[in-house]
Amino acid sequence: MTSTSLNSWEAVRAELMRRITERVWRPGERIPGEAELADEFGCARATVNRAMRDLAEAGLVERRRRAGTRVRLDPVRKATISIPIIRLEVERRGQAYRHKLLERKLEPPTAVVASRLDLDRATKLLHVTSLHLADSRPLIYEDRWINPAAVSDVLDEPFDKSSPNEWLVRNTPFTHGEIAFSAENARAGESEQLGVEAGSALFIIERTTWTGATPITTARLACAPGYRLLSEI
Amino acid sequence: MTSTSLNSWEAVRAELMRRITERVWRPGERIPGEAELADEFGCARATVNRAMRDLAEAGLVERRRRAGTRVRLDPVRKATISIPIIRLEVERRGQAYRHKLLERKLEPPTAVVASRLDLDRATKLLHVTSLHLADSRPLIYEDRWINPAAVSDVLDEPFDKSSPNEWLVRNTPFTHGEIAFSAENARAGESEQLGVEAGSALFIIERTTWTGATPITTARLACAPGYRLLSEI
DNA sequence: AAGTGGTCTAGACCACTCC
DNA sequence: GAGTGGTCTAGACCACTTA
């Protein structure tokens, strides 16, 4: 029995979710239309729509015009991961943050970096390597290339005070980007900088960002053993 | 100059985003209210609200009742990651998928597993280890514990045809869960099963899911070297 | 061709929070 | 207390598909 009058979209979502998890509506099955549900719940269609959109974004149902809404056969759950400034993440854990600039020079990109940024190998980029420390222990080794043509004033920025990670986030908003997570055995230089044994498993984050069609920066973050990325689903 | 009449919420969002990335509205600064913007754009307030909500979810602005909307000082960008059934992910890459059951027994959980599922160590759980192969090469080693009290019929399921990963997704919808990503050096058993050198860096996915207050399952997926998780931001 | 979800509007009330 | 975002409503039109 459904209590009549579910007037908040969250209540509607909860009821829809109940019917899905309890198999009132089976996987692959078609769900009644928005108008019908709105009528049943005693609310406006927009309210049902809001709830349904949320479930669709979460990957529980599949919606298509004309074809209606179906319970997904293979629920593709989506996890959202926040990507904060490293300093803030460290401080949130109650640790002392420090940043150490290792190297900073203008040089032509490697082939891999050039292709990733879709740039010519001739134009020099700003190459910055640095270390992020938590309570004086190395946490992340950052290897970054920045396109000076896209970031005004970056050539005047010494990166001695704030890391390129933080400086860029604050000074150069991007429109879109790519991020990849993987695992790699520590390379020679990395293990030394991070103070871990050669070959230790490192969590690798690779990020490339753009503003419109202009490449901004690409970075490879090697995280010390123990690093975990968490999310709710 | 703003062209008058931005009537779709995506057009509104694009214009708002432009003003943020081009520093028309600076970080930390307060943005005009929804009513004012709706007036300027010649659309309904709900349309501005829709666009703003999207930017807030993306982490670009911060909204609070009464206090208004501000451009975030530290944009916390959010990446959404899809978590599909492994078989589908392999097939999407055009590879042949195969699943191999390694072991399946009812036994008391380890202390770690018991605490993760918030269960007593006395109650036996179904412990299943298996291997996911792509083109006959080991891709993922799965170590999973299932709470039989929460999953009817699981004790009758041999898992010889479909993997526990797939079977559970199809048969036991969950309401919420946790997921964690990390990197670890391959343990003895893992390196053997995955056919890689001992100590290779593996990408680790740990997942625990619940239905309401009832724990369903917890799993540890060890992914062979080369595994990458991608996302747009 | 027709039915479905996607969106917009204009107006309203409410919840929260800062002053 | 007052101003802001959060949400709901009732109605409308549109875009997309598929029957």
Side-chain angles (χ1 to χ4, degrees), chain A residues 164-177:
Chain A
N165 170 285
E166 183 162 358
W167 190 90
L168 281 168
V169 167
R170 289 199 200 279
N171 292 280
T172 313
F174 57 90
T175 55
H176 64 285

Side-chain angles (χ1 to χ4, degrees), chain B residues 11-197:
Chain B
V12 171
R13 183 186 56 183
E15 171 60 13
L16 297 175
M17 201 155 169
R18 187 188 68 78
R19 295 188 187 183
I20 292 170
T21 56
E22 294 184 8
R23 293 279 199 270
V24 178
W25 294 325
R26 318 275 276 291
E29 193 175 318
R30 183 161 162 184
I31 288 177
E34 293 187 350
E36 188 178 329
L37 289 170
D39 193 50
E40 185 197 341
F41 294 150
C43 65
R45 181 165 82 90
T47 305
V48 175
N49 181 278
R50 180 87 159 83
M52 281 289 198
R53 207 168 3 108
D54 204 64
L55 291 181
E57 276 168 21
L60 259 76
V61 300
E62 206 171 10
R63 322 195 72 194
R64 282 209 313 272
R65 282 164 153 135
R66 167 72 186 175
T69 301
R70 292 180 178 278
V71 179
R72 286 194 75 120
L73 268 172
D74 310 303
V76 179
R77 296 301 274 260
K78 276 151 190 161
T80 58
I81 290 179
S82 300
I83 304 158
I85 293 175
I86 296 168
R87 178 176 65 75
L88 296 179
E89 194 180 350
V90 169
E91 290 174 351
R92 197 177 46 77
R93 292 194 308 221
Q95 299 181 298
Y97 173 83
R98 199 154 57 82
H99 159 253
K100 188 178 160 195
L101 179 66
L102 299 176
E103 202 169 10
R104 175 193 187 288
K105 61 179 163 185
L106 204 60
E107 59 182 345
T110 64
V112 173
V113 168
S115 91
R116 201 149 55 196
L117 289 176
D118 204 16
L119 285 175
D120 200 282
R121 284 202 63 179
T123 47
K124 290 186 176 177
L125 303 181
L126 190 61
H127 186 194
V128 183
T129 52
S130 58
L131 204 58
H132 301 266
L133 302 103
D135 280 345
S136 297
R137 273 203 309 276
L139 181 70
I140 297 179
Y141 174 76
E142 174 176 341
D143 186 333
R144 181 182 293 272
W145 295 80
I146 306 168
N147 179 11
V151 189
S152 59
D153 307 331
V154 74
L155 293 177
D156 301 326
E157 173 60 39
F159 295 124
D160 52 352
K161 274 301 214 178
S162 67
S163 71
N165 170 285
E166 182 162 359
W167 190 88
L168 281 168
V169 167
R170 290 198 199 277
N171 293 281
T172 313
F174 58 91
T175 56
H176 64 285
E178 258 189 20
I179 191 161
F181 305 100
S182 58
E184 280 182 37
N185 291 99
R187 303 168 185 173
E190 286 169 351
S191 60
E192 199 173 311
Q193 291 295 347
L194 288 172
V196 299
E197 282 179 39

Side-chain angles (χ1 to χ4, degrees), chain A residues 32 77 124 126 180 189 192:
Chain A
R77 297 300 274 258
K124 290 186 176 176
L126 190 62
E192 200 173 310

